[in-house]
């Protein structure tokens, strides 16, 4: 069980000494890791151009651009969502702060004192009276005043209340300021990250299919069709296809690994750290409990062996005395029946 705990910690990329702090530290390093993935996508220019040329040749639509987000990241890296959406780089980026959930505090550690008890027991008089003479609060306590407007309070024009406009938080920002989701990078924001992974998979499937087609020797129709293709398509080899597929699979594996998925979950909800910590701590407690039970069973086994070793001489002595008693009984019965041979049955000593 302890091996499973350390195996799970290895999947998360932590040692397991302090699960909570190590997970939060990994999330802080996530932007740099995503920046490296965006930088690695810059080497996909040839593969993207190959896919674009093939789509333009087969579908006869050269103006239609394929893989827009992947092409953007290949040229400009893992920029902000604001820059991808508007086409201009923001002057100010107000990134949302990752608020770590507070540490669990035991109730015994909180000293509430005798709040409220001392004031009631000592009978403190603060000198405030609801019916102080000479003070008119403007509030009538009579049950007859039931109308809302009879107390003389002016609530203002009802039409002004209907003109109140509620703005969604984070949607209104000055020009040039990236705030909220716009301040996140393309690989941090779930929508653009999923689109980026989809386009990577689309390009991988295309290149894998081209590698399979190029390995078939007797495909005369394919050869004749690509005779009129651009030089970009005709100049490719199967080895290049396999190399580009390997690069794509590596990028997809980095973004879809179990460790990266958990980091994205923590980035979206810091409370997820507590869930993962509780899950791993439960595994550790189970492993400790099993180890304790194992030690207890070994101890009981040793005690049982010692007890067996102590009882074996007593058992041998008891068997010997039983045999002697059996012979005496057989002799006594034989004597009573004129020396007839007597054997006691039903015992195996």
């Amino acid at each position: 069980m302890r091996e499973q705990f350390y195996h799970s910690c290895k999947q998360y990329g932590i040692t397991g000494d302090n699960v909570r702090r190590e997970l939060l530290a990994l999330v802080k390093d996530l932007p740099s890791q995503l920046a490296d993935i965006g930088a690695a996508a810059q080497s996909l220019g040839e593969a993207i151009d190959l896919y674009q040329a093939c789509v333009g040749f087969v579908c006869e639509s050269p103006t239609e651009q394929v893989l827009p987000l992947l092409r953007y990241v290949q040229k400009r890296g893992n920029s902000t969502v604001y820059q991808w959406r508007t086409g201009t780089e923001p002057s100010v980026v107000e990134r949302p702060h990752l608020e770590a959930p507070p540490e669990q505090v035991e109730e015994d550690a909180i000293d509430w004192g005798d709040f409220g008890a001392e004031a009631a027991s000592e009978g403190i008089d603060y000198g405030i009276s609801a019916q102080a003479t000479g003070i008119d609060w403007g509030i009538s306590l009579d049950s007859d005043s039931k109308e809302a407007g009879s107390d003389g309070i002016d609530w203002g024009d009802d039409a002004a209340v209907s003109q109140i406009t509620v703005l969604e938080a984070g949607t209104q920002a000055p020009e040039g300021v990236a705030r909220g989701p716009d301040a996140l990078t393309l690989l941090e924001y779930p929508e653009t990250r999923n689109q980026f992974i989809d386009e990577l998979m689309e390009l991988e499937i295309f290149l894998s299919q081209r590698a399979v087609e190029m390995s078939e020797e007797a495909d005369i129709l394919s050869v004749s069709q690509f005779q009129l293709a651009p030089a970009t398509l005709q100049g490719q080899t199967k080895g290049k296809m396999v190399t580009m597929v390997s690069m794509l699979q590596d990028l997809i594996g980095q973004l879809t690994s179990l460790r990266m998925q958990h980091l994205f979950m923590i980035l979206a909800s810091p409370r997820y750290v507590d869930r993962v910590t509780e899950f791993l701590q439960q595994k550790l407690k189970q492993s400790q409990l099993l180890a304790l039970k194992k030690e207890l069973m070994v101890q009981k086994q040793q005690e049982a062996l010692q007890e067996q070793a102590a009882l074996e001489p007593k058992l041998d002595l008891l068997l010997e005395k039983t045999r002697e008693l059996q012979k005496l009984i057989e002799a006594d019965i034989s004597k009573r029946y004129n020396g007839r041979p007597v054997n006691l049955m039903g015992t195996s000593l």
Side-chain angles (χ1 to χ4, degrees):
M1 202 69 182
R2 183 176 291 270
E3 288 76 10
Q4 293 182 4
F5 168 76
Y6 286 114
H7 178 69
S8 300
C9 291
K10 187 177 181 181
Q11 289 181 339
Y12 287 100
I14 59 178
T15 60
D17 297 334
N18 192 317
V19 176
R20 194 172 184 278
R21 292 182 181 177
E22 292 177 6
L23 288 175
L24 292 176
L26 286 179
V27 176
K28 293 181 180 179
D29 296 336
L30 183 60
S32 61
Q33 299 178 22
L34 296 179
D36 294 339
I37 294 176
Q42 295 179 359
S43 59
L44 300 177
E46 184 180 359
I48 297 174
D49 294 339
L50 179 63
Y51 186 35
Q52 182 70 58
C54 184
V55 171
F57 172 70
V58 175
C59 301
E60 298 181 356
S61 56
T63 58
E64 182 180 356
Q65 190 180 53
V66 298
L67 311 176
L69 183 58
L70 181 58
R71 187 187 297 273
Y72 176 87
V73 175
Q74 185 267 328
K75 292 181 179 179
R76 300 189 179 183
N78 185 29
S79 66
T80 59
V81 177
Y82 178 90
Q83 187 174 354
W84 154 256
R85 184 173 58 83
T86 63
T88 58
E89 187 174 355
S91 57
V92 179
V93 178
E94 299 178 358
R95 287 182 57 86
H97 297 286
L98 179 61
E99 297 182 359
E103 295 280 354
Q104 297 293 333
V105 181
E106 297 181 357
E107 294 183 358
D108 297 336
I110 302 177
D111 184 12
W112 298 103
D114 296 329
F115 179 78
E118 296 179 1
S121 61
E122 295 177 2
I124 299 176
D125 184 9
Y126 291 98
I128 300 175
S129 175
Q131 298 179 353
T133 59
I135 300 176
D136 184 10
W137 298 99
I139 302 175
S140 176
L141 301 178
D142 296 336
S143 60
D144 297 336
S145 57
K146 296 182 180 179
E147 297 182 359
S150 62
D151 53 3
I153 299 176
D154 184 10
W155 297 101
D157 190 3
D158 294 340
V161 179
S162 62
Q163 296 177 359
I164 297 176
T165 303
V166 179
L167 299 179
E168 295 183 2
T171 57
Q172 300 295 329
E175 184 178 357
V177 177
R179 182 181 299 167
D182 285 347
L184 299 175
T185 62
L186 293 172
L187 297 183
E188 287 178 338
Y189 190 51
E191 183 178 347
T192 52
R193 180 176 67 246
N194 293 335
Q195 180 182 349
F196 182 77
I197 295 175
D198 291 342
E199 293 183 3
L200 284 176
M201 291 182 175
E202 180 181 349
L203 184 57
E204 179 206 0
I205 293 173
F206 164 73
L207 295 175
S208 300
Q209 182 62 30
R210 283 296 300 149
V212 172
E213 293 173 355
M214 296 177 71
S215 62
E216 298 176 356
E217 299 177 355
D219 193 354
I220 301 177
L221 179 61
S222 177
V223 173
S224 61
Q225 285 180 343
F226 278 91
Q227 284 180 352
L228 302 177
T232 306
L233 292 175
Q234 295 185 12
Q236 300 298 326
T237 61
K238 180 183 176 181
K240 283 186 177 180
M241 298 291 110
V242 174
T243 302
M244 287 187 285
V245 168
S246 177
M247 294 170 54
L248 287 167
Q249 290 177 347
D250 181 63
L251 289 176
I252 295 173
Q254 292 183 44
L255 286 172
T256 58
S257 64
L258 181 62
R259 172 176 174 272
M260 194 65 75
Q261 290 178 17
H262 287 296
L263 292 180
F264 288 142
M265 291 286 289
I266 296 173
L267 184 65
S269 175
R271 295 284 179 184
Y272 185 71
V273 178
D274 293 334
R275 294 173 55 189
V276 176
T277 303
E278 183 180 357
F279 170 72
L280 293 178
Q281 291 294 339
Q282 185 177 4
K283 276 194 171 184
L284 181 60
K285 289 180 180 178
Q286 290 177 355
S287 65
Q288 293 174 349
L289 181 60
L290 289 177
L292 183 61
K293 287 183 177 180
K294 182 180 178 181
E295 294 179 0
L296 184 60
M297 291 301 295
V298 171
Q299 182 180 357
K300 288 186 176 181
Q301 183 182 9
Q302 295 294 334
E303 293 176 355
L305 291 175
Q306 293 176 1
E307 186 178 2
Q308 179 183 358
L311 291 177
E312 281 181 353
K314 297 180 180 180
L315 180 60
D316 294 338
L317 180 60
L318 180 61
L319 291 175
E320 184 178 354
K321 295 294 184 181
T322 304
R323 292 191 189 97
E324 294 178 359
L325 181 60
Q326 181 181 1
K327 291 179 179 180
L328 291 174
I329 294 173
E330 289 176 351
D332 182 67
I333 296 175
S334 177
K335 187 184 296 184
R336 295 183 182 185
Y337 290 94
N338 299 324
R340 267 189 177 181
V342 177
N343 294 317
L344 293 178
M345 306 299 294
T347 58
S348 178
L349 300 175

